[in-house]
C-alpha cells in the first residue's frame, strides 16, 4: 500500500511558494518558522523532490517545484471543496418517502409539492401510491406508505387524530355539489335529501369519501340511497352523469364547469362540505423524511 503523506506539507509548500519566504508563510499560517521548514523538509523526504532553492531575496522554486505547484494547489482546492460539501451534508435529509395520492394532481397541488420538496431536500426520493381516500388510511396503518392525502368531513378531522393515532395537517376545505343529467332540473333543483335518495345515483365503494359523506347524511335523514351503478373514478362518474344514468357528488368547481359546458343539472338546495388533509402515523411524524414533507406542505398550503 502506498504511503499517504501529510497534507500540512503541501499547505506549507504552496504558501511559501505564494509569499516567497518561510517567515511570511509562518505569519500567514500562524505557525513558527521551524514548523514551516520542518513541513517542507518532510514533504521533500516523502516525495524525493527538492522544492526550493535559496536565493538572495528568499526562496525560489526549483523546476520540480514549479511543475508540482499546480498539482499541490489542486489537491488543496479539492480538499477545501470536499470539506465544504461535507459540512453541507450535515443535517441534510435523505431517504425514501412513499406518498399516497388521491383525486387529480392539480387539486392536491402535487406537482408543486414534489418540486419544492426536491429542491429543499435533494436527498429524498419519492414514490407515489395512488388510491381512493379510504384506501390511503388503510395503507398508512399497514405502513405501506409514509404519508397520504385524505378527504373527509371537516367535523371528523379531530377524530382522525385521536381514534386513528394520526398526525393530521388540514390543507383545504371545499364543497361538493350534487350534479345530475341534462333536463333533471325540476327533479333536483329544490329537492331535499329524502327526494334525492329516491333518484338513481352513481355510487362509489365504501372506501370513497363520497360513500362516507353520503352514507352519514342519508342515515341522518332516515333514507336509503338508490344506487344503480358503482364506480371508483371521478371521470367515469361524470361520464355516466352526462350519459343520463343518474346523479353523483362532484367538487363545486367541476360541477359548475360541467353545468356550463354540458348543461348538466345542479341541486341548488343541498351541498356537502369536505376537507382535504395530509395524514401520517403519529409514530412516524418525527422521522426526517415525513417532517420534511409536512414542512413543505406548510409552505404551500399555509
Amino acid at each position: 500500500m502506498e504511503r499517504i503523506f501529510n497534507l500540512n506539507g503541501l499547505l506549507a509548500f504552496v504558501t511559501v511558494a505564494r509569499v516567497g519566504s518561510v517567515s511570511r508563510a509562518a505569519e500567514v499560517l500562524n505557525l513558527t518558522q521551524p514548523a514551516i521548514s520542518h513541513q517542507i523538509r518532510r514533504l521533500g523526504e516523502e516525495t524525493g523532490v527538492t522544492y526550493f532553492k535559496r536565493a538572495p531575496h528568499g526562496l525560489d522554486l526549483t523546476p520540480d517545484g514549479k511543475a508540482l505547484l499546480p498539482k499541490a494547489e489542486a489537491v488543496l482546492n479539492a480538499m477545501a471543496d470536499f470539506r465544504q460539501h461535507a459540512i453541507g451534508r450535515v443535517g441534510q435529509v435523505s431517504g425514501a418517502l412513499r406518498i399516497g395520492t388521491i383525486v387529480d394532481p392539480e387539486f392536491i397541488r402535487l406537482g408543486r409539492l414534489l418540486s419544492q420538496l426536491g429542491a429543499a431536500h435533494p436527498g429524498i426520493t419519492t414514490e407515489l401510491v395512488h388510491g381512493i381516500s379510504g384506501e390511503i388510511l388503510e395503507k398508512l396503518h399497514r405502513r405501506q406508505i409514509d404519508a397520504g392525502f385524505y378527504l373527509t368531513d371537516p367535523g371528523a378531522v379531530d377524530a382522525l387524530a385521536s381514534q386513528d393515532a394520526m398526525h393530521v395537517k388540514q390543507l383545504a376545505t371545499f364543497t361538493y355539489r350534487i350534479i345530475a343529467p341534462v333536463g333533471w332540473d325540476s327533479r333536483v333543483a329544490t329537492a331535499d335529501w329524502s327526494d334525492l335518495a329516491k333518484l338513481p345515483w352513481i355510487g362509489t365503494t365504501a372506501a370513497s369519501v363520497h360513500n362516507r359523506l353520503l352514507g352519514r347524511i342519508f342515515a341522518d335523514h332516515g333514507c336509503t340511497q338508490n344506487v344503480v351503478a358503482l364506480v371508483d373514478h371521478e371521470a367515469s362518474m361524470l361520464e355516466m352523469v352526462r350519459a343520463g344514468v343518474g346523479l353523483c357528488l362532484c367538487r363545486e368547481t367541476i360541477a359548475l364547469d360541467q353545468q356550463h359546458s354540458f348543461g348538466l343539472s345542479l341541486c341548488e338546495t343541498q351541498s356537502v362540505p369536505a376537507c382535504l388533509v395530509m395524514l401520517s402515523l403519529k409514530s412516524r411524524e418525527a422521522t426526517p423524511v415525513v417532517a420534511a414533507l409536512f414542512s413543505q406542505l406548510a409552505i404551500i398550503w399555509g
Side-chain angles (χ1 to χ4, degrees):
M1 181 176 178
E2 293 185 3
R3 182 179 177 184
I4 300 175
F5 53 84
N6 192 334
L7 289 176
N8 289 334
L10 285 183
L11 180 59
F13 163 50
V14 170
T15 305
V16 171
R18 288 171 178 169
V19 300
S21 73
V22 171
S23 60
R24 287 195 292 271
E27 293 176 3
V28 171
L29 297 177
N30 195 27
L31 295 172
T32 64
Q33 293 185 44
I36 297 294
S37 298
H38 172 74
Q39 293 292 351
I40 292 175
R41 184 169 57 253
R42 181 179 175 185
L43 179 64
E45 293 171 351
E46 290 174 339
T47 59
V49 173
T50 299
Y51 293 91
F52 295 100
K53 60 182 178 181
R54 292 193 178 278
H57 59 275
L59 293 176
D60 284 342
L61 285 166
T62 65
D64 287 339
K66 289 180 180 179
L68 291 173
L69 180 59
K71 301 292 185 182
E73 290 175 331
V75 171
L76 294 177
N77 289 337
M79 287 301 299
D81 183 66
F82 173 82
R83 186 179 296 109
Q84 181 177 356
H85 280 78
I87 292 171
R89 293 291 299 181
V90 174
Q92 189 176 97
V93 179
S94 62
L97 176 65
R98 299 162 299 175
I99 304 174
T101 66
I102 55 175
V103 297
D104 63 88
E106 183 178 1
F107 175 65
I108 61 177
R109 304 182 187 179
L110 182 62
R112 184 179 171 190
L113 173 62
L114 296 180
S115 176
Q116 291 195 188
L117 183 64
H121 304 285
I124 294 179
T125 58
T126 55
E127 176 187 348
L128 302 181
V129 180
H130 190 76
I132 301 172
S133 187
E135 294 174 345
I136 297 301
L137 192 61
E138 182 179 349
K139 291 179 186 295
L140 280 168
H141 283 300
R142 293 182 176 180
R143 297 180 179 269
Q144 295 173 332
I145 57 176
D146 301 298
F149 291 95
Y150 185 75
L151 297 171
T152 187
D153 183 333
V157 173
D158 291 340
L160 276 172
S162 59
Q163 296 175 12
D164 290 291
M166 291 289 166
H167 173 49
V168 184
K169 166 68 176 175
Q170 186 167 324
L171 305 178
T173 55
F174 61 98
T175 301
Y176 279 115
R177 297 287 298 276
I178 300 163
I179 194 167
V182 175
W184 285 34
D185 299 73
S186 60
R187 305 173 71 182
V188 301
T190 60
D192 60 24
W193 285 109
S194 296
D195 295 329
L196 290 169
K198 299 171 186 176
L199 296 174
W201 279 82
I202 301 161
T204 57
T205 61
S208 166
V209 67
H210 293 203
N211 186 290
R212 285 182 273 119
L213 293 174
L214 288 173
R216 176 184 57 78
I217 291 172
F218 286 129
D220 289 345
H221 287 81
C223 48
T224 302
Q225 184 185 17
N226 177 27
V227 176
V228 297
L230 199 66
V231 299
D232 60 0
H233 194 270
E234 192 172 75
S236 299
M237 296 172 67
L238 291 174
E239 178 60 30
M240 294 180 77
V241 174
R242 291 193 292 267
V245 176
L247 58 157
C248 74
L249 282 187
C250 181
R251 277 178 284 138
E252 186 170 49
T253 53
I254 296 176
L256 294 173
D257 178 71
Q258 291 288 307
Q259 182 187 43
H260 175 75
S261 301
F262 301 100
L264 299 184
S265 303
L266 283 179
C267 177
E268 303 294 344
T269 53
Q270 313 299 334
S271 61
V272 182
C275 183
L276 172 68
V277 301
M278 176 67 83
L279 302 176
S280 73
L281 290 174
K282 284 184 178 178
S283 60
R284 294 274 297 152
E285 68 175 298
T287 59
V289 291
V290 173
L293 171 66
F294 277 81
S295 176
Q296 292 305 310
L297 286 169
I299 295 172
I300 294 171
W301 290 92

PDB file of all heavy atoms in Angstrom, residues 6 10 19 21 26 60 64 77 86 93 107 118 132 149 160 162 172 200 203 205 212 216 258 278-279 283 299:
ATOM      1  N   ASN A   6       1.500  13.704   4.704  1.00  0.00           N
ATOM      2  CA  ASN A   6       0.756  14.715   5.452  1.00  0.00           C
ATOM      3  C   ASN A   6       0.426  15.913   4.560  1.00  0.00           C
ATOM      4  O   ASN A   6       1.316  16.492   3.927  1.00  0.00           O
ATOM      5  CB  ASN A   6       1.607  15.153   6.651  1.00  0.00           C
ATOM      6  CG  ASN A   6       0.805  15.969   7.652  1.00  0.00           C
ATOM      7  OD1 ASN A   6      -0.176  16.614   7.305  1.00  0.00           O
ATOM      8  ND2 ASN A   6       1.241  15.922   8.896  1.00  0.00           N
ATOM      9  N   LEU A  10       1.987  19.951   2.002  1.00  0.00           N
ATOM     10  CA  LEU A  10       1.512  20.614   0.781  1.00  0.00           C
ATOM     11  C   LEU A  10       1.099  22.049   1.060  1.00  0.00           C
ATOM     12  O   LEU A  10       1.386  22.960   0.273  1.00  0.00           O
ATOM     13  CB  LEU A  10       0.319  19.845   0.186  1.00  0.00           C
ATOM     14  CG  LEU A  10       0.606  18.540  -0.546  1.00  0.00           C
ATOM     15  CD1 LEU A  10      -0.696  17.984  -1.109  1.00  0.00           C
ATOM     16  CD2 LEU A  10       1.620  18.746  -1.657  1.00  0.00           C
ATOM     17  N   VAL A  19       4.131  33.357  -1.093  1.00  0.00           N
ATOM     18  CA  VAL A  19       4.593  34.569  -0.402  1.00  0.00           C
ATOM     19  C   VAL A  19       6.095  34.768  -0.514  1.00  0.00           C
ATOM     20  O   VAL A  19       6.607  35.854  -0.217  1.00  0.00           O
ATOM     21  CB  VAL A  19       4.172  34.555   1.081  1.00  0.00           C
ATOM     22  CG1 VAL A  19       2.667  34.487   1.215  1.00  0.00           C
ATOM     23  CG2 VAL A  19       4.850  33.416   1.842  1.00  0.00           C
ATOM     24  N   SER A  21       8.760  33.421   1.161  1.00  0.00           N
ATOM     25  CA  SER A  21       9.689  33.185   2.258  1.00  0.00           C
ATOM     26  C   SER A  21       9.020  32.395   3.371  1.00  0.00           C
ATOM     27  O   SER A  21       7.786  32.413   3.509  1.00  0.00           O
ATOM     28  CB  SER A  21      10.223  34.508   2.821  1.00  0.00           C
ATOM     29  OG  SER A  21       9.223  35.167   3.578  1.00  0.00           O
ATOM     30  N   ALA A  26       4.964  31.657   7.686  1.00  0.00           N
ATOM     31  CA  ALA A  26       4.662  31.385   9.092  1.00  0.00           C
ATOM     32  C   ALA A  26       3.618  32.353   9.624  1.00  0.00           C
ATOM     33  O   ALA A  26       2.730  31.972  10.400  1.00  0.00           O
ATOM     34  CB  ALA A  26       5.955  31.475   9.920  1.00  0.00           C
ATOM     35  N   ASP A  60      13.447  30.464  -3.961  1.00  0.00           N
ATOM     36  CA  ASP A  60      12.891  30.325  -5.296  1.00  0.00           C
ATOM     37  C   ASP A  60      12.478  28.872  -5.517  1.00  0.00           C
ATOM     38  O   ASP A  60      13.097  27.946  -4.959  1.00  0.00           O
ATOM     39  CB  ASP A  60      13.926  30.706  -6.365  1.00  0.00           C
ATOM     40  CG  ASP A  60      14.105  32.214  -6.481  1.00  0.00           C
ATOM     41  OD1 ASP A  60      13.208  32.939  -6.010  1.00  0.00           O
ATOM     42  OD2 ASP A  60      15.135  32.635  -7.028  1.00  0.00           O
ATOM     43  N   ASP A  64      11.363  21.415 -10.479  1.00  0.00           N
ATOM     44  CA  ASP A  64      10.384  20.426  -9.996  1.00  0.00           C
ATOM     45  C   ASP A  64       9.295  21.101  -9.168  1.00  0.00           C
ATOM     46  O   ASP A  64       8.114  20.745  -9.255  1.00  0.00           O
ATOM     47  CB  ASP A  64      11.086  19.358  -9.146  1.00  0.00           C
ATOM     48  CG  ASP A  64      11.917  18.397  -9.979  1.00  0.00           C
ATOM     49  OD1 ASP A  64      11.652  18.295 -11.198  1.00  0.00           O
ATOM     50  OD2 ASP A  64      12.826  17.756  -9.414  1.00  0.00           O
ATOM     51  N   ASN A  77      -7.298  22.604  -3.122  1.00  0.00           N
ATOM     52  CA  ASN A  77      -8.626  23.070  -3.545  1.00  0.00           C
ATOM     53  C   ASN A  77      -9.648  21.945  -3.461  1.00  0.00           C
ATOM     54  O   ASN A  77     -10.800  22.160  -3.062  1.00  0.00           O
ATOM     55  CB  ASN A  77      -8.569  23.618  -4.969  1.00  0.00           C
ATOM     56  CG  ASN A  77      -7.830  24.938  -5.054  1.00  0.00           C
ATOM     57  OD1 ASN A  77      -7.723  25.665  -4.068  1.00  0.00           O
ATOM     58  ND2 ASN A  77      -7.306  25.252  -6.231  1.00  0.00           N
ATOM     59  N   ALA A  86     -18.951  18.345   2.714  1.00  0.00           N
ATOM     60  CA  ALA A  86     -19.181  17.518   3.906  1.00  0.00           C
ATOM     61  C   ALA A  86     -19.954  18.292   4.960  1.00  0.00           C
ATOM     62  O   ALA A  86     -20.889  17.772   5.581  1.00  0.00           O
ATOM     63  CB  ALA A  86     -17.843  17.042   4.474  1.00  0.00           C
ATOM     64  N   VAL A  93     -31.493  15.941   4.938  1.00  0.00           N
ATOM     65  CA  VAL A  93     -32.449  14.832   4.991  1.00  0.00           C
ATOM     66  C   VAL A  93     -32.327  13.999   3.721  1.00  0.00           C
ATOM     67  O   VAL A  93     -32.275  14.535   2.613  1.00  0.00           O
ATOM     68  CB  VAL A  93     -33.886  15.355   5.136  1.00  0.00           C
ATOM     69  CG1 VAL A  93     -34.876  14.202   5.162  1.00  0.00           C
ATOM     70  CG2 VAL A  93     -34.014  16.198   6.393  1.00  0.00           C
ATOM     71  N   PHE A 107     -55.534  19.435  -8.060  1.00  0.00           N
ATOM     72  CA  PHE A 107     -56.311  19.789  -6.881  1.00  0.00           C
ATOM     73  C   PHE A 107     -55.483  19.675  -5.607  1.00  0.00           C
ATOM     74  O   PHE A 107     -55.580  20.508  -4.710  1.00  0.00           O
ATOM     75  CB  PHE A 107     -57.559  18.908  -6.787  1.00  0.00           C
ATOM     76  CG  PHE A 107     -58.367  19.115  -5.528  1.00  0.00           C
ATOM     77  CD1 PHE A 107     -58.988  20.325  -5.281  1.00  0.00           C
ATOM     78  CD2 PHE A 107     -58.502  18.097  -4.596  1.00  0.00           C
ATOM     79  CE1 PHE A 107     -59.723  20.522  -4.116  1.00  0.00           C
ATOM     80  CE2 PHE A 107     -59.239  18.280  -3.435  1.00  0.00           C
ATOM     81  CZ  PHE A 107     -59.853  19.505  -3.200  1.00  0.00           C
ATOM     82  N   GLY A 118     -38.198  18.407  -3.615  1.00  0.00           N
ATOM     83  CA  GLY A 118     -36.950  18.015  -4.260  1.00  0.00           C
ATOM     84  C   GLY A 118     -35.897  19.102  -4.199  1.00  0.00           C
ATOM     85  O   GLY A 118     -34.704  18.827  -4.031  1.00  0.00           O
ATOM     86  N   ILE A 132     -57.977   5.346  -3.601  1.00  0.00           N
ATOM     87  CA  ILE A 132     -59.150   6.033  -3.088  1.00  0.00           C
ATOM     88  C   ILE A 132     -58.856   6.483  -1.664  1.00  0.00           C
ATOM     89  O   ILE A 132     -58.049   5.875  -0.956  1.00  0.00           O
ATOM     90  CB  ILE A 132     -60.373   5.093  -3.126  1.00  0.00           C
ATOM     91  CG1 ILE A 132     -60.631   4.640  -4.560  1.00  0.00           C
ATOM     92  CG2 ILE A 132     -61.616   5.767  -2.571  1.00  0.00           C
ATOM     93  CD1 ILE A 132     -61.689   3.565  -4.680  1.00  0.00           C
ATOM     94  N   PHE A 149     -52.571  11.869   1.246  1.00  0.00           N
ATOM     95  CA  PHE A 149     -53.697  12.787   1.178  1.00  0.00           C
ATOM     96  C   PHE A 149     -54.974  12.022   1.536  1.00  0.00           C
ATOM     97  O   PHE A 149     -55.115  10.839   1.220  1.00  0.00           O
ATOM     98  CB  PHE A 149     -53.833  13.364  -0.231  1.00  0.00           C
ATOM     99  CG  PHE A 149     -52.716  14.298  -0.620  1.00  0.00           C
ATOM    100  CD1 PHE A 149     -51.620  13.832  -1.331  1.00  0.00           C
ATOM    101  CD2 PHE A 149     -52.767  15.642  -0.286  1.00  0.00           C
ATOM    102  CE1 PHE A 149     -50.594  14.683  -1.698  1.00  0.00           C
ATOM    103  CE2 PHE A 149     -51.748  16.506  -0.640  1.00  0.00           C
ATOM    104  CZ  PHE A 149     -50.658  16.027  -1.358  1.00  0.00           C
ATOM    105  N   LEU A 160     -59.877  11.727  13.576  1.00  0.00           N
ATOM    106  CA  LEU A 160     -58.768  11.036  12.911  1.00  0.00           C
ATOM    107  C   LEU A 160     -57.525  11.060  13.783  1.00  0.00           C
ATOM    108  O   LEU A 160     -56.825  10.060  13.933  1.00  0.00           O
ATOM    109  CB  LEU A 160     -58.455  11.718  11.570  1.00  0.00           C
ATOM    110  CG  LEU A 160     -59.269  11.322  10.344  1.00  0.00           C
ATOM    111  CD1 LEU A 160     -58.929  12.250   9.187  1.00  0.00           C
ATOM    112  CD2 LEU A 160     -58.993   9.881   9.964  1.00  0.00           C
ATOM    113  N   SER A 162     -57.288  11.446  17.047  1.00  0.00           N
ATOM    114  CA  SER A 162     -57.408  10.742  18.320  1.00  0.00           C
ATOM    115  C   SER A 162     -57.667   9.244  18.152  1.00  0.00           C
ATOM    116  O   SER A 162     -56.985   8.416  18.760  1.00  0.00           O
ATOM    117  CB  SER A 162     -58.523  11.377  19.159  1.00  0.00           C
ATOM    118  OG  SER A 162     -59.762  11.324  18.474  1.00  0.00           O
ATOM    119  N   ALA A 172     -57.171  22.107   3.102  1.00  0.00           N
ATOM    120  CA  ALA A 172     -58.199  22.952   2.480  1.00  0.00           C
ATOM    121  C   ALA A 172     -59.581  22.404   2.786  1.00  0.00           C
ATOM    122  O   ALA A 172     -59.761  21.202   2.975  1.00  0.00           O
ATOM    123  CB  ALA A 172     -57.991  23.015   0.967  1.00  0.00           C
ATOM    124  N   PRO A 200     -82.006   7.837  -9.065  1.00  0.00           N
ATOM    125  CA  PRO A 200     -80.879   6.925  -9.338  1.00  0.00           C
ATOM    126  C   PRO A 200     -79.527   7.609  -9.118  1.00  0.00           C
ATOM    127  O   PRO A 200     -79.303   8.712  -9.625  1.00  0.00           O
ATOM    128  CB  PRO A 200     -81.085   6.546 -10.810  1.00  0.00           C
ATOM    129  CG  PRO A 200     -81.913   7.633 -11.391  1.00  0.00           C
ATOM    130  CD  PRO A 200     -82.799   8.137 -10.294  1.00  0.00           C
ATOM    131  N   GLY A 203     -73.078   5.361  -7.473  1.00  0.00           N
ATOM    132  CA  GLY A 203     -72.449   5.213  -6.165  1.00  0.00           C
ATOM    133  C   GLY A 203     -70.961   4.924  -6.250  1.00  0.00           C
ATOM    134  O   GLY A 203     -70.387   4.744  -7.338  1.00  0.00           O
ATOM    135  N   THR A 205     -67.441   3.021  -3.951  1.00  0.00           N
ATOM    136  CA  THR A 205     -67.086   1.979  -2.991  1.00  0.00           C
ATOM    137  C   THR A 205     -67.024   2.541  -1.573  1.00  0.00           C
ATOM    138  O   THR A 205     -66.940   3.751  -1.371  1.00  0.00           O
ATOM    139  CB  THR A 205     -65.723   1.363  -3.344  1.00  0.00           C
ATOM    140  OG1 THR A 205     -64.726   2.384  -3.303  1.00  0.00           O
ATOM    141  CG2 THR A 205     -65.757   0.750  -4.737  1.00  0.00           C
ATOM    142  N   ARG A 212     -68.702   7.738   2.253  1.00  0.00           N
ATOM    143  CA  ARG A 212     -68.709   8.067   3.682  1.00  0.00           C
ATOM    144  C   ARG A 212     -69.591   9.287   3.976  1.00  0.00           C
ATOM    145  O   ARG A 212     -70.372   9.293   4.931  1.00  0.00           O
ATOM    146  CB  ARG A 212     -67.281   8.316   4.167  1.00  0.00           C
ATOM    147  CG  ARG A 212     -66.468   7.036   4.319  1.00  0.00           C
ATOM    148  CD  ARG A 212     -65.070   7.310   4.847  1.00  0.00           C
ATOM    149  NE  ARG A 212     -64.131   7.625   3.772  1.00  0.00           N
ATOM    150  CZ  ARG A 212     -63.466   8.762   3.654  1.00  0.00           C
ATOM    151  NH1 ARG A 212     -63.638   9.724   4.558  1.00  0.00           N
ATOM    152  NH2 ARG A 212     -62.617   8.965   2.667  1.00  0.00           N
ATOM    153  N   ARG A 216     -73.499   8.955   5.783  1.00  0.00           N
ATOM    154  CA  ARG A 216     -73.856   9.623   7.030  1.00  0.00           C
ATOM    155  C   ARG A 216     -75.081  10.513   6.853  1.00  0.00           C
ATOM    156  O   ARG A 216     -75.999  10.516   7.699  1.00  0.00           O
ATOM    157  CB  ARG A 216     -72.674  10.464   7.514  1.00  0.00           C
ATOM    158  CG  ARG A 216     -72.968  11.283   8.770  1.00  0.00           C
ATOM    159  CD  ARG A 216     -71.806  12.173   9.140  1.00  0.00           C
ATOM    160  NE  ARG A 216     -71.424  13.071   8.066  1.00  0.00           N
ATOM    161  CZ  ARG A 216     -72.087  14.201   7.767  1.00  0.00           C
ATOM    162  NH1 ARG A 216     -73.164  14.545   8.454  1.00  0.00           N
ATOM    163  NH2 ARG A 216     -71.666  14.980   6.791  1.00  0.00           N
ATOM    164  N   GLN A 258     -69.095  21.680 -15.457  1.00  0.00           N
ATOM    165  CA  GLN A 258     -69.900  20.703 -16.186  1.00  0.00           C
ATOM    166  C   GLN A 258     -71.276  21.288 -16.553  1.00  0.00           C
ATOM    167  O   GLN A 258     -71.802  21.033 -17.630  1.00  0.00           O
ATOM    168  CB  GLN A 258     -70.078  19.443 -15.341  1.00  0.00           C
ATOM    169  CG  GLN A 258     -68.812  18.639 -15.141  1.00  0.00           C
ATOM    170  CD  GLN A 258     -68.368  17.920 -16.399  1.00  0.00           C
ATOM    171  OE1 GLN A 258     -69.139  17.191 -17.027  1.00  0.00           O
ATOM    172  NE2 GLN A 258     -67.108  18.129 -16.780  1.00  0.00           N
ATOM    173  N   MET A 278     -53.546  16.009   4.992  1.00  0.00           N
ATOM    174  CA  MET A 278     -52.424  15.078   4.823  1.00  0.00           C
ATOM    175  C   MET A 278     -52.265  14.335   6.136  1.00  0.00           C
ATOM    176  O   MET A 278     -52.284  14.938   7.218  1.00  0.00           O
ATOM    177  CB  MET A 278     -51.136  15.823   4.485  1.00  0.00           C
ATOM    178  CG  MET A 278     -49.903  14.928   4.398  1.00  0.00           C
ATOM    179  SD  MET A 278     -49.930  13.748   3.015  1.00  0.00           S
ATOM    180  CE  MET A 278     -49.352  14.803   1.679  1.00  0.00           C
ATOM    181  N   LEU A 279     -52.110  13.032   6.036  1.00  0.00           N
ATOM    182  CA  LEU A 279     -52.001  12.179   7.219  1.00  0.00           C
ATOM    183  C   LEU A 279     -50.667  11.446   7.262  1.00  0.00           C
ATOM    184  O   LEU A 279     -50.097  11.105   6.220  1.00  0.00           O
ATOM    185  CB  LEU A 279     -53.114  11.123   7.225  1.00  0.00           C
ATOM    186  CG  LEU A 279     -54.569  11.573   7.194  1.00  0.00           C
ATOM    187  CD1 LEU A 279     -55.474  10.340   7.114  1.00  0.00           C
ATOM    188  CD2 LEU A 279     -54.901  12.407   8.411  1.00  0.00           C
ATOM    189  N   SER A 283     -46.612   7.951  15.118  1.00  0.00           N
ATOM    190  CA  SER A 283     -45.333   7.307  15.430  1.00  0.00           C
ATOM    191  C   SER A 283     -44.275   7.593  14.372  1.00  0.00           C
ATOM    192  O   SER A 283     -43.088   7.333  14.579  1.00  0.00           O
ATOM    193  CB  SER A 283     -45.530   5.793  15.557  1.00  0.00           C
ATOM    194  OG  SER A 283     -46.040   5.246  14.347  1.00  0.00           O
ATOM    195  N   ILE A 299     -45.585  25.408   3.775  1.00  0.00           N
ATOM    196  CA  ILE A 299     -45.221  26.494   2.881  1.00  0.00           C
ATOM    197  C   ILE A 299     -46.230  26.635   1.746  1.00  0.00           C
ATOM    198  O   ILE A 299     -46.664  27.751   1.395  1.00  0.00           O
ATOM    199  CB  ILE A 299     -43.815  26.262   2.305  1.00  0.00           C
ATOM    200  CG1 ILE A 299     -42.776  26.304   3.432  1.00  0.00           C
ATOM    201  CG2 ILE A 299     -43.483  27.302   1.244  1.00  0.00           C
ATOM    202  CD1 ILE A 299     -41.377  25.898   2.987  1.00  0.00           C
TER     203      ILE A 299
END
